[in-house]
Amino acid sequence: MKKNKSINGPLRDFWNEFKQYKYGVVGIIFLIVFIILVVFERFLVPFPEASSRWRDITYWEDNPRSVPPVWINFFTSKDYTPTVYFEDLEFAENQLAPTITAMNYVLEYEYDYDIPPVDMILRGRYQGNFTANIVVERPDGTTVNLVNKNFTAPTMRDFRISLVNEAQNSVRNFARRYQPNVPQNISIFSILFSQANENIISSPQPLKGTYKFNINLIKTSSNTVIEEPIFIVSGSASGLLGTDNSKRDIWSGLVAGLKWALFIGLFTSAISVGVGVIYGVVSAYYGGIVDSIMQRIWEVFINIPLLPVLIVLSAIFQPSIWTLIIMMCLFFWVGPVKTVRSMALQIKEETFVEAAKALGASNSRIIFRHIVPMLIPYAFASMALNVPSAIVYEATVSLLGLGDASIVTWGQILHDAFSGGAVISGYWWWIVPPGIAIALVGMTFAFLGFAMDTILNPKLRTR
């Protein structure tokens, strides 16, 4: 009980001092938010397998390509169609013959936008033989037979019907009723969701209202099974942060990259600061020729330009996050050495150190049991200040295409953005969020480090 009180007392005093620095409290709040995002990632993103399937194109194939976030509608004069998933479709079954069964579902879609969707998709799982037929009834009463397609599979497999591919001819024939010449490069959904008149192609006006999609799945064998049917409106806006040119959800990638940013920053700074603290203490404790040699080694490392070395080594060795962390640790350890050495020179002259020597304590015991513990508060402050550097270096190396492509990092997202022409095409939602995320995490640990450094270093106190 007494031991708990002896621990709680200093912690309480530290917190009372820490909370007086508002930027430190802001750093704590942001850190808590980041930890919540990491812990509850699977519940906060629409694609929970983004971390493991970021490069799997089949995982993202139902998303629209390179579209802005849904909240862009608050800032534009024309409304973009958001992406919508219609799940748990309850089909009505009708036995037409002993081996033929018709499954029917009428999906009513309320269209109240100016920019039409990119695609509409019907997908599910099946076994056996069936025919898919989709007919849409527009608000003006006209109907368009969109799809007639047969499916056959002896074992259970996925089926996917993309209207942008399957309904091309049907929609173009519908448009020819009003305008004979239909260009090849026009979107069929700009026709399907426009008013039916002579300007349906040259100057389309949105036809708002309720669209009824009559979905018929006709089983042509008794052993046919159809499961998990889903209808997806792949909109012209999608998700909290839009999508990239590989149809990946940027918000899911951003949250997936957060845990790697925290891991890289904290792991790298913990190892490098730990090595730097021990190195500085040993140098100060032994002094003499040992100190001189160790300081010359430190001067060599401190004068090596880190970023060019990282780029060269990343190009030589196979890109791996562990290789990058090791390389950063090999150079980051020099940061706290000088400060630790000067502090250790003062500590080793204290009476408790002299008493330990007089009692026959070994050098290693004095270093690790008496001197290093005195420097732990400074080590924590130094760790917090080193985290942003590690994150920025990883992002820089990944931005140049030399990062680990097997994981999702913010640097990888930025690299894909620049190589995918996001700047030229104006896809700001692909570039700005990763940059802001890097800045926010860096700012968080900088605030924490400055606050701890001010509290633990008497020379920085302002009162």
Side-chain angles (χ1 to χ4, degrees):
M1 193 69 175
K2 291 182 178 179
K3 185 176 181 180
N4 289 337
K5 288 183 178 180
S6 64
I7 295 174
N8 292 335
L11 287 177
R12 190 181 301 109
D13 294 340
F14 174 80
W15 171 246
N16 290 333
E17 184 81 13
F18 185 89
K19 66 184 182 182
Q20 295 183 24
Y21 297 93
K22 301 303 180 184
Y23 52 86
V25 175
V26 171
I28 287 286
I29 294 173
F30 273 111
L31 182 59
I32 293 173
V33 171
F34 294 149
I35 293 173
I36 292 174
L37 287 174
V38 171
V39 173
F40 297 101
E41 174 188 345
R42 296 187 64 85
F43 307 100
L44 297 174
V45 297
F47 298 91
E49 297 181 48
S51 295
S52 58
R53 303 184 66 179
W54 184 249
R55 303 286 176 184
D56 182 3
I57 58 175
T58 61
Y59 186 62
W60 311 97
E61 62 181 347
D62 295 334
N63 285 344
R65 189 187 307 276
S66 303
V67 298
V70 292
W71 46 263
I72 197 173
N73 285 338
F74 293 108
F75 306 99
T76 57
S77 58
K78 294 185 177 181
D79 289 340
Y80 290 74
T81 304
T83 297
V84 182
Y85 286 76
F86 294 94
E87 302 178 350
D88 302 323
L89 305 181
E90 297 182 0
F91 282 78
E93 295 196 14
N94 184 21
Q95 191 79 31
L96 302 180
T99 59
I100 300 176
T101 303
M103 298 173 59
N104 175 261
Y105 182 81
V106 178
L107 187 150
E108 295 187 355
Y109 175 62
E110 194 67 31
Y111 181 76
D112 192 29
Y113 310 99
D114 301 301
I115 309 298
V118 175
D119 197 2
M120 288 183 163
I121 301 159
L122 176 67
R123 70 177 309 153
R125 293 178 59 78
Y126 81 103
Q127 176 182 342
N129 308 296
F130 79 96
T131 299
N133 170 253
I134 302 177
V135 179
V136 60
E137 181 183 343
R138 291 158 36 99
D140 58 6
T142 58
T143 60
V144 183
N145 190 344
L146 298 175
V147 174
N148 281 292
K149 188 172 184 179
N150 299 320
F151 292 88
T152 301
T155 59
M156 188 66 73
R157 66 174 59 179
D158 295 334
F159 74 88
R160 182 176 185 271
I161 302 173
S162 170
L163 296 189
V164 76
N165 297 321
E166 305 294 341
Q168 284 278 347
N169 292 333
S170 300
V171 176
R172 288 179 181 277
N173 289 334
F174 169 74
R176 289 191 181 99
R177 302 179 193 174
Y178 308 96
Q179 191 166 336
N181 297 321
V182 181
Q184 290 294 324
N185 59 350
I186 191 170
S187 168
I188 63 169
F189 293 103
S190 66
I191 298 173
L192 191 63
F193 289 94
S194 296
Q195 297 177 15
N197 54 42
E198 64 277 5
N199 297 319
I200 192 171
I201 294 174
S202 59
S203 181
Q205 297 296 319
L207 177 63
K208 300 180 181 181
T210 301
Y211 288 74
K212 296 180 180 180
F213 289 85
N214 197 326
I215 304 171
N216 298 285
L217 306 179
I218 303 171
K219 302 177 183 178
T220 55
S221 63
S222 58
N223 64 342
T224 300
V225 178
I226 300 176
E227 299 177 348
E228 305 172 11
I230 300 174
F231 192 82
I232 305 163
V233 177
S234 189
S236 49
S238 179
L240 289 177
L241 295 176
T243 62
D244 63 13
N245 64 355
S246 296
K247 302 185 177 182
R248 295 174 297 198
D249 182 67
I250 301 297
W251 167 247
S252 298
L254 206 67
V255 177
L258 175 59
K259 61 177 174 289
W260 284 107
L262 294 178
F263 173 75
I264 293 168
L266 292 172
F267 191 72
T268 302
S269 62
I271 293 177
S272 58
V273 170
V275 171
V277 168
I278 295 173
Y279 190 93
V281 170
V282 170
S283 177
Y285 181 79
Y286 285 101
I289 186 65
V290 174
D291 183 35
S292 298
I293 293 174
M294 294 181 72
Q295 290 306 301
R296 298 298 81 75
I297 295 173
W298 175 86
E299 289 173 358
V300 171
F301 276 88
I302 197 68
N303 286 294
I304 295 176
L306 176 55
L307 185 57
V309 172
L310 282 179
I311 294 173
V312 172
L313 294 178
S314 298
I316 295 174
F317 298 103
Q318 182 178 0
S320 167
I321 193 63
W322 297 107
T323 304
L324 184 60
I325 288 175
I326 291 172
M327 288 189 295
M328 286 193 290
C329 289
L330 288 175
F331 293 94
F332 276 21
W333 65 268
V334 299
V337 169
K338 276 295 184 182
T339 304
V340 167
R341 178 177 175 273
S342 64
M343 296 170 72
L345 286 172
Q346 300 176 22
I347 295 173
K348 80 171 187 175
E349 302 298 332
E350 297 289 340
T351 54
F352 66 88
V353 176
E354 297 295 335
K357 289 180 180 178
L359 292 173
S362 64
N363 291 333
S364 60
R365 181 180 178 84
I366 293 173
I367 289 173
F368 291 102
R369 293 295 298 273
H370 297 287
I371 300 179
V372 170
M374 298 286 291
L375 297 169
I376 287 178
Y378 169 76
F380 278 111
S382 184
M383 281 175 55
L385 291 171
N386 275 2
V387 169
S389 299
I391 295 174
V392 169
Y393 273 110
E394 184 282 327
T396 303
V397 173
S398 296
L399 180 61
L400 297 174
L402 301 173
D404 189 347
S406 64
I407 63 174
V408 187
T409 67
W410 296 334
Q412 290 286 346
I413 295 175
L414 286 173
H415 169 260
D416 293 341
F418 281 100
S419 61
V423 176
I424 298 174
S425 302
Y427 301 151
W428 54 266
W429 57 88
W430 195 2
I431 303 172
V432 175
I436 292 177
I438 293 172
L440 281 178
V441 173
M443 180 189 71
T444 296
F445 285 96
F447 283 173
L448 292 174
F450 291 149
M452 287 191 290
D453 204 24
T454 304
I455 294 170
L456 301 172
N457 190 342
K459 292 182 180 179
L460 297 179
R461 291 181 183 269
T462 57
R463 59 180 181 81

